[in-house]
Amino acid sequence: HDDLTGLPNRAFLKERLANILDQARRHNRKVTVAYIDLDNFKDINDGRGHAAGDEVLKEIATRMANSVRASDMVVRLGGDEFLVVLVHQSSHDAGITRRLRELQKAINRPILGEDGEITVTSSIGVAAFPFDGATSEELLANADRAMYRAKELGRNTLQHHDAGSTPVGMPLGEQEELHQAITGDQLFLQYQPQVDVATGRITGLEALVRWNHPAKGRVPPVNFIPLAEETGLIVPLGLWVLNEACRQARSWQDMGLTPLTIAVNVSAKQFADPDFSKHVAEALERHGLQSRWLELEVTESVVMQDAERALAMMESLRALGVRLSIDDFGSGYSSLAALKTFPFDRLKMDRSLVEALPGDKTAVAIVSAVISLAQTLKLSVLAEGVETDDQMDFLRQARCEEAQGYRFSRPVSPEEIVVLLKV
Ligand code: C2E
Ligand code: CA
Ligand code: CA
Ligand code: CA
C-alpha cells in the first residue's frame, strides 16, 4: 500500500495471503483474488505495446488503490502485473464482479503523459477462495490462468477461473452429460506431431482429447476439462485418455510403423490420486506398451500444489520408466523452483513465449535463456505453438531440439497420423 509501484517480496506476499485466507476461513468469508495484466504494456506475457513507464504505472496503481476498500489489498507483482485481493461475505459475488469492472473502468480513463494522452486497458483473471482454490498458491495459479484466458478473449476483458466451462446458471445436466461422454463413446483422441527441429522428422505425438457431443457437435477441451477437474470427473476421463493413447500407440507399432513417444496430459486431481502410478502401470501392461514410449505432461501448478507428494509420485512414475515433461513452461509465475526440485526429462515452452518470436526482443531473450537453462539441467526442450518459418529459423539457430505447432500439423486423427508417418 505504501509504495504502490514497488515489488512485493514473494514470500511475504504468500504469507500475507495465507493469513487473509486463515481469517476468512475462521469468519466464514470469501476472498477474491484478481490477477491484473495491463494489455498495452510490454511484458513477458504479450510482448506488445509500450514499455511500462513509471509515471503511468504509478497513476494506474493509485487508481486501483482508490477503487478498492481499506480492508482490501493492491500489490504490484512485477512488470505491468498487479494483484487485487478483496475480502467479502460469500453472498456478495455479483457485487464483487461489479467492483472489479469499476476498477477496470478506472484504469481505462485516459492518462495525460509527456507524449500526449494514452488509454490503458487490462485483462483480469479472477479466482475466489474457497471455491477456486484452498491455498494462496492455488488461488494465484488459477487467477493467473484465468487472466491468460481473458487475454485470449481480447482486450479489456474479465474472466472468472471456471468461466470457460461453468457459466453462472449452467444447466445441472452438463455434468451428467460429461459423465455419459466418458462412459459412452463420445470422447476421442487426436494426435499432434512433435518434430526434430534439425531434421524435421516426427519424434513424438501429443494426445489431445475431444468430445463429440450428440447435440452440440465437437466441444473443445477448454470447454470441458475445467468442469471435469472441478467435479472430479477428470479422474475417469484421464484414465480413459491414458488407456486409449496406450492402445493406439501399440496398434501403430503393430502396423510396423516406427515407434514414437506418445505424450498424455495429466491434470492436478489425477496426479494427486495415490493410485495414479498404479493406473499407469496397468494401462501399459494391458496394452503391451513399453514404458519408454509413454510421456506424461504436467504443468508446474500441478507439482507446486503439494511438492512432497508430487515428488514421490514422480519418482514412482520414473521407476516405471515413463518420461515426464513440464508443460506450458513460462506461462506461470514460479518456473525455476519447479525445474530444480522435480525430476523432469523434458521442458515444453509455452506458446505465449513462442508467439512473439522472432521480432520481440524480450521474447527472444527469454526463449534463449530457457533453452540454455534446459541444457544446463539436462532437459530436452520443445517449443509449443510454432506457426511460422521465422519462428522455426530462430529455434533452429537457438538450438531448440523439438517443436510442435500448426507450422507442421494441427492435431489430427490416428488415420492421418499413419499417412504423415508413411511419407
Ligand atoms: P496443451 O496441453 O497446451 O495442448 C496444446 C494446445 O495447443 C492444443 O489445444 C493444440 O491444439 C494447440 N496448438 C497446438 N499447436 C498450435 C499452434 O501452432 N497455434 C495455436 N494457436 N495453438 C496450437 P487443444 O487441443 O484445444 O487443447 C487445449 C488444452 O486442453 C491442452 O493444452 C490441455 O491443457 C488440455 N487437454 C487436452 N487434452 C487433454 C487430456 O486428455 N487431459 C487433460 N488433463 N487435459 C487435456
Ligand atoms: Ca501486459
Ligand atoms: Ca500438453
Ligand atoms: Ca502446453
Side-chain angles (χ1 to χ4, degrees):
H1 268 276
D2 311 335
D3 177 11
L4 287 168
T5 52
L7 301 179
N9 168 323
R10 284 279 166 173
F12 172 76
L13 174 63
K14 274 198 183 151
E15 198 186 299
R16 248 327 266 284
L17 192 53
N19 280 340
I20 293 175
L21 297 183
D22 259 5
Q23 290 283 333
R25 207 174 271 123
R26 230 169 282 145
H27 299 106
N28 209 12
R29 293 216 178 92
K30 211 162 167 178
V31 178
T32 295
V33 172
Y35 204 119
I36 302 176
D37 184 280
L38 306 183
D39 293 324
N40 37 357
F41 277 89
K42 209 187 225 65
D43 71 359
I44 58 167
N45 290 324
D46 51 30
R48 282 187 286 263
H50 318 267
D54 273 357
E55 227 86 302
V56 175
L57 277 182
K58 200 168 277 172
E59 172 62 24
I60 301 266
T62 308
R63 290 181 187 182
M64 287 190 198
N66 289 339
S67 163
V68 303
R69 298 179 182 169
S71 54
D72 300 333
M73 185 163 90
V74 179
V75 267
R76 179 172 166 219
L77 293 171
D80 61 348
E81 295 184 2
F82 293 85
L83 194 73
V84 170
V85 181
L86 310 170
V87 182
H88 52 102
Q89 304 293 336
S90 53
S91 52
H92 290 172
D93 287 6
I96 289 297
T97 305
R98 204 189 53 235
R99 278 168 61 189
L100 289 171
R101 290 262 182 232
E102 274 161 18
L103 184 137
Q104 201 165 34
K105 275 199 207 125
I107 296 173
N108 290 159
R109 285 202 319 270
I111 301 170
L112 200 57
E114 277 170 17
D115 314 320
E117 215 178 66
I118 62 167
T119 301
V120 177
T121 62
S122 63
S123 297
I124 305 185
V126 182
F129 166 88
F131 193 67
D132 302 321
T135 64
S136 58
E137 282 87 357
E138 276 174 28
L139 280 176
L140 288 172
N142 285 332
D144 185 24
R145 212 178 297 163
M147 185 275 285
Y148 269 91
R149 206 150 52 209
K151 275 241 184 283
E152 276 169 12
L153 289 175
R155 284 151 180 245
N156 233 20
T157 48
L158 187 145
Q159 272 291 295
H160 196 264
H161 161 59
D162 57 4
S165 62
T166 49
V168 184
M170 181 197 70
L172 265 175
E174 194 147 322
Q175 186 176 336
E176 185 50 37
E177 281 182 10
L178 183 55
H179 188 246
Q180 273 171 24
I182 301 164
T183 49
D185 54 2
Q186 297 168 19
L187 297 182
F188 64 101
L189 296 184
Q190 285 191 324
Y191 298 85
Q192 188 175 34
Q194 303 176 331
V195 305
D196 183 316
V197 169
T199 65
R201 226 169 29 92
I202 298 178
T203 53
L205 301 166
E206 178 175 2
L208 294 156
V209 69
R210 273 86 183 90
W211 178 7
N212 193 4
H213 188 284
K216 287 183 248 174
R218 172 91 68 88
V219 184
V222 285
N223 289 347
F224 63 91
I225 294 287
L227 172 63
E229 278 176 2
E230 222 162 82
T231 54
L233 284 171
I234 192 72
V235 174
L237 187 154
L239 197 57
W240 179 84
V241 172
L242 180 68
N243 274 279
E244 174 58 17
C246 290
R247 188 199 62 74
Q248 183 63 64
R250 176 58 203 241
S251 145
W252 278 324
Q253 289 186 13
D254 288 344
M255 291 169 69
L257 298 170
T258 320
L260 295 175
T261 309
I262 307 292
V264 170
N265 291 283
V266 179
S267 80
K269 277 234 174 73
Q270 281 180 279
F271 210 74
D273 178 356
D275 286 338
F276 181 62
S277 58
K278 201 178 80 197
H279 291 320
V280 172
E282 283 167 0
L284 292 167
E285 169 78 29
R286 182 173 306 132
H287 301 286
L289 186 72
Q290 281 181 296
S291 58
R292 54 195 284 233
W293 303 119
L294 181 65
E295 177 171 320
L296 300 173
E297 297 190 1
V298 296
T299 60
E300 57 201 286
S301 62
V302 167
V303 289
M304 299 305 275
Q305 268 173 36
D306 184 344
E308 214 167 301
R309 202 163 58 174
L311 196 58
M313 178 54 72
M314 289 180 81
E315 264 147 20
S316 75
L317 290 167
R318 292 197 88 189
L320 286 176
V322 304
R323 296 213 294 171
L324 297 170
S325 63
I326 184 160
D327 200 5
D328 302 343
F329 186 82
S331 69
Y333 63 94
S334 60
S335 310
L336 289 177
L339 274 193
K340 261 183 33 200
T341 317
F342 302 100
F344 286 107
D345 301 283
R346 178 149 65 165
L347 182 160
K348 297 190 75 179
M349 254 188 298
D350 193 60
R351 176 156 63 87
S352 60
L353 289 179
V354 176
E355 213 171 30
L357 294 176
D360 185 87
K361 276 191 191 150
T362 315
V364 165
I366 294 171
V367 168
S368 309
V370 170
I371 293 171
S372 66
L373 178 73
Q375 283 165 350
T376 308
L377 295 170
K378 306 234 178 343
L379 300 172
S380 66
V381 53
L382 177 145
E384 291 186 317
V386 177
E387 294 183 354
T388 69
D389 288 342
D390 284 352
Q391 289 167 345
M392 214 25 207
D393 291 340
F394 175 83
L395 292 167
R396 192 177 299 113
Q397 166 247 301
R399 304 210 176 283
C400 177
E401 296 165 270
E402 283 164 295
Q404 177 180 344
Y406 297 167
R407 164 74 178 67
F408 317 100
S409 171
R410 292 182 176 256
V412 295
S413 70
E415 294 75 25
E416 288 168 280
I417 289 293
V418 173
V419 175
L420 285 175
L421 289 179
K422 281 190 169 159
V423 291

